Amino acid sequence: MESPAELCLDLVLDLLLSPEEAFPVPAQLRYSADDPYAVHIAFHIDSAQPIGWYFARDLLLHGLLRPTGLGDVRIWPTVVDGRRTVTLMLCSPDGDAFLQAPAARLACWVRQTLRLVPPGGAAERDRVDHALDALFAANGAPEA
């Protein structure tokens, strides 16, 4: 269930099996003001539980415009048959997956996340402050 502080986007991504073949994969992107740096994507395939990945919202934002990412998640814009898409490469010990999503839908959703919590916004700063307070309290350091 989506709350005012959470945004979801249901869409179907194309899992690229080869240059000529793709398999549709239902997915849901989720963003929460409670975790302002992260985006969660859940893939709903033939398994008891969805397969989930977390990555930085900034990675998705920058990947809409140019190739970005160095680790397990890499994102870049592409054009396929005249359509603007975004390719996500997800790397795991079990293998790599290449997925494509419609760029316009992703861009619209990312824009909504930026309205919900602007980069460097108060919610982002508050979460960092609370995390630091908890860290200092756990280590017995005096609070500022």
Side-chain angles (χ1 to χ4, degrees), residues 128-138 140-144:
V128 170
D129 288 344
H130 290 301
L132 289 172
D133 289 345
L135 179 65
F136 290 137
E143 289 190 32

Side-chain angles (χ1 to χ4, degrees), residues 50-127:
I51 296 170
W53 282 75
Y54 285 92
F55 52 90
R57 175 179 68 170
D58 282 352
L59 191 65
L60 184 55
L61 173 64
H62 296 294
L64 289 166
L65 305 171
R66 64 183 174 277
T68 190
L70 296 172
D72 294 340
V73 179
R74 298 177 189 183
I75 304 172
W76 62 91
T78 16
V79 177
V80 176
D81 297 328
R83 296 178 300 120
R84 293 185 184 276
T85 64
V86 175
T87 300
L88 288 85
M89 183 177 85
L90 305 175
C91 303
S92 80
D94 296 326
D96 301 341
F98 290 84
L99 299 123
Q100 287 185 330
R105 289 196 63 200
L106 280 181
C108 181
W109 185 77
V110 168
R111 191 174 304 117
Q112 291 173 354
T113 73
L114 294 171
R115 282 191 207 113
L116 182 64
V117 180
E124 208 171 279
R125 288 189 302 274
D126 288 347
R127 181 165 166 78

